[in-house]
Amino acid sequence: MFKHSQLDSVKAWIAHPAHAVMPLHARIQRAIRQLIVDGALGAGKPLPASRALATSLGVSRDTIEAAYSQLHAEGFIDRRVGSGSFVAEMTEFMPSRPLSQRDALLRNQAPTLSTRGAAMFRSGGVREMLAPRPFAHGVPETRTFPLQLWERLERQVRKEVGAQTLFHGDPQGTEALRRAIADYVNLERGARATADRVLVLTSSQQAMSLCATMLLDPGDRIFLEDPAYYGARKAFDAAGLDCVPIPVDRQGIVVDQIMAEPHGAKAVFLTPSHQFPTGATLALDRRLALIEWAARTQAWIIEDDYDSEFHYAGKPTACVQGLDKHDRTLYIGTFTKSLFPGLRIGYVVLPPPLVKPMTVARTLLDGHTAPMAQLTLARFMEGGHFGAYVRTMRGVYAERLALLAGLVSKHLADFVEPRVPIGGLQLPCLLTRDLSERTAIDAARRVGIELLGLSALHAAGDGKAGFLMGFAAYTPLEIEEAVRKLEKALRAVTRP
């Protein structure tokens, strides 16, 4: 028979609200199993007869029999005809006593991670807001997305392709989507792509991690824009790379400093269309100089074209990959910004020799991207819907940017100077008075407003204080209300 403490433990386990979804016999089985695992019931100890335990717990004997049968099937107890049920001898490796205070402390210590694992954990990862609020950056408008059209295309795919969409997909991506992506980037971005050079991924973040691990070894140098996109810096830091910051001016990354670096680097990471976070566009002469540098030194150019669809002044400059006749550029794109974050489809256009190695490496991460989403997106693009949607949203976002810039100049002129970009989904603002960046961000958060600080994006630590204000996902009314809230919050923390 159980001791009173053991019987009470089983009763407590059964009654716990978190276990209510389990059948009663499963709760009893789990409770007894936990007593064995914790060492409260040692190897060879007898268990109460099923009839006696049923009476003690106020349940049917069949319920106890079902619990004992599962424990026996899992190897935790032995059942002997005429003798009863006993804790299996094979459980003798389990602790025979409760954990000591020292053992408990050791159990709760931080795990020993690999060098790379520790770096990834320290970075904090890349976290996105599940329910964005003004002025969270990099979030597109989703409330006006043509969901009915998308669902109709998805039904067409399901009807025509059927159960084939339920199987594993091609790790490189479905041919239809790769072809649609190649056609799009060739036409709109001046790329040099073919379907067989496109690798479909779940995100641009996955593409950067693949580049870091497949092209460089720990300790290798990589040039990064300074300031830089935090997701890229974290991916490269986690891979153990030596990230060398290169300053950015109004014409993009300062290429002369790259040329002057005596030790060189094996790669450079760029956001040339709309530099993150400054919004600068990399000048053509600098693009050409980087291409020649990469060819001469056999380095790689990793080009992140994360929101190039949204360009509001003049015609966008052709991507670096389209100008690179030496095939040293990897071109990364994503549909997270142009369509909706939940789609989880990105891609990279690769130099031909890298297609097979990168595809094989991808199979070790997540295998493939969901075929249904890929085929639906392919139809969305082939039917001209993607181009039409982007053109519509480009106009919407341009109006929202103009509105936000005007409101900032009107209501926040005492605090910040807006730097209106020619594209992208966020407005950089530099603090102009004696107000710390942290104070401004905390004050905004207290009134339900989200800002991304600029200073932390500078590796050299000498960047001007300020913040990014995302505008794409918010209506004109929401933008105006949020700016007024932010004005009040900043005045409250700067009032003498």
Side-chain angles (χ1 to χ4, degrees):
M1 180 60 68
F2 282 162
K3 297 177 182 177
H4 285 301
S5 60
Q6 294 168 346
L7 189 61
D8 289 343
S9 177
V10 174
K11 289 179 178 178
W13 218 97
I14 293 172
H16 198 289
H19 306 149
V21 295
M22 293 185 203
L24 184 55
H25 75 273
R27 282 181 267 171
I28 294 170
Q29 178 256 332
R30 296 282 186 90
I32 297 174
R33 186 178 71 181
Q34 196 62 49
L35 289 172
I36 296 172
V37 169
D38 290 343
L41 290 174
K45 294 290 185 181
L47 298 180
S50 57
R51 191 185 303 278
L53 184 56
T55 301
S56 298
L57 296 177
V59 300
S60 72
R61 185 182 179 189
D62 288 344
T63 298
I64 301 301
E65 282 294 330
Y68 278 6
S69 294
Q70 183 62 31
L71 286 166
H72 181 241
E74 292 180 358
F76 283 95
I77 67 173
D78 292 326
R79 309 200 72 183
R80 305 167 196 163
V81 177
S83 299
S85 300
F86 301 83
V87 177
E89 294 295 338
M90 68 177 63
T91 64
E92 62 185 356
F93 69 91
M94 294 178 178
S96 57
R97 55 180 173 76
L99 288 178
S100 67
Q101 186 175 5
R102 176 179 175 278
D103 290 339
L105 288 172
L106 289 174
R107 172 192 275 185
N108 294 325
Q109 278 185 349
T112 303
L113 302 175
S114 68
T115 301
R116 178 172 293 175
M120 294 174 74
F121 182 55
R122 282 195 306 271
S123 77
V126 178
R127 300 181 183 181
E128 306 292 350
M129 294 184 67
L130 298 183
R133 57 186 184 179
F135 292 100
H137 71 284
V139 184
E141 175 62 81
T142 57
R143 289 169 289 190
T144 59
F145 182 78
L147 197 55
Q148 289 183 330
L149 169 61
W150 184 270
E151 290 172 342
R152 176 163 60 82
L153 296 175
E154 191 173 59
R155 286 195 299 271
Q156 289 178 6
V157 169
R158 194 178 298 114
K159 182 177 180 181
E160 295 177 23
V161 184
Q164 196 65 36
T165 61
L166 306 181
F167 294 122
H168 287 288
D170 183 339
Q172 190 178 345
T174 63
E175 184 178 358
L177 180 56
R178 288 190 282 113
R179 186 170 57 247
I181 289 171
D183 290 345
Y184 175 76
V185 296
N186 289 344
L187 178 65
E188 298 292 336
R189 301 297 298 118
R192 299 164 60 250
T194 55
D196 58 353
R197 295 178 62 170
V198 175
L199 172 60
V200 178
L201 300 168
T202 55
S203 64
S204 57
Q205 192 68 37
Q206 186 182 47
M208 288 183 281
S209 295
L210 267 177
C211 290
T213 54
M214 291 298 289
L215 303 180
L216 301 101
D217 290 313
D220 283 348
R221 288 160 58 91
I222 181 172
F223 292 137
L224 259 66
E225 299 164 325
D226 191 32
Y229 172 54
Y230 53 86
R233 187 181 302 281
K234 289 181 177 184
F236 300 139
D237 280 340
L241 307 186
D242 180 9
C243 297
V244 181
I246 304 294
V248 170
D249 61 22
R250 292 183 179 272
Q251 292 187 311
I253 194 168
V254 180
V255 175
D256 288 346
Q257 188 159 327
I258 290 178
M259 307 300 178
E261 272 288 329
H263 302 294
K266 288 192 175 181
V268 59
F269 175 80
L270 306 169
T271 52
S273 294
H274 307 132
Q275 200 277 331
F276 188 94
T278 67
T281 297
L282 185 62
L284 178 60
D285 60 334
R286 296 189 183 186
R287 294 172 186 241
L288 297 175
L290 274 176
I291 289 169
E292 292 308 311
W293 166 81
R296 185 177 69 254
T297 62
Q298 289 297 283
W300 297 107
I301 299 173
I302 303 171
E303 178 180 13
D304 183 6
D305 213 28
Y306 65 102
D307 64 1
S308 63
E309 291 88 359
F310 304 116
H311 198 88
Y312 312 126
K315 190 171 177 60
T317 309
C319 65
V320 174
Q321 192 268 355
L323 302 172
D324 183 6
K325 62 183 178 182
H326 308 291
D327 277 335
R328 303 299 303 177
T329 303
L330 296 85
Y331 176 87
I332 298 172
T334 178
F335 294 98
T336 296
K337 304 290 189 292
S338 54
L339 293 180
F340 54 94
L343 182 58
R344 307 315 300 153
I345 294 182
Y347 59 90
V348 55
V349 180
L350 297 164
L354 291 181
V355 174
K356 285 187 177 179
M358 287 286 205
T359 303
V360 169
R362 191 273 168 89
T363 66
L364 298 175
L365 299 178
D366 61 350
H368 63 90
T369 303
M372 177 65 77
Q374 289 189 69
L375 293 170
T376 304
L377 176 57
R379 294 204 174 197
F380 192 74
M381 298 180 76
E382 292 163 354
H385 307 298
F386 179 70
Y389 180 72
V390 166
R391 287 190 293 273
T392 298
M393 299 316 295
R394 187 182 295 140
V396 171
Y397 295 164
E399 291 176 1
R400 293 181 180 183
L401 171 59
L403 173 65
L404 177 60
L407 289 170
V408 169
S409 296
K410 180 179 179 180
H411 296 283
L412 303 179
D414 291 343
F415 309 101
V416 298
E417 175 191 344
R419 294 289 178 87
V420 183
I422 60 173
L425 304 180
Q426 47 271 327
L427 172 69
C429 294
L430 300 181
L431 287 168
T432 56
R433 63 178 294 170
D434 188 19
L435 171 65
S436 80
E437 184 180 283
R438 185 73 263 161
T439 298
I441 292 172
D442 289 343
R445 190 165 291 160
R446 285 194 292 271
V447 295
I449 292 173
E450 200 68 29
L451 303 172
L452 176 67
L454 292 177
S455 61
L457 303 176
H458 290 261
D462 56 356
K464 292 184 179 179
F467 46 75
L468 283 182
M469 301 178 74
F471 56 83
Y474 317 107
T475 66
L477 180 59
E478 289 169 338
I479 291 173
E480 185 169 359
E481 289 178 347
V483 168
R484 291 182 182 278
K485 278 186 180 180
L486 182 57
E487 179 189 12
K488 289 181 180 179
L490 295 183
R491 292 201 184 283
V493 295
T494 56
R495 189 176 294 123

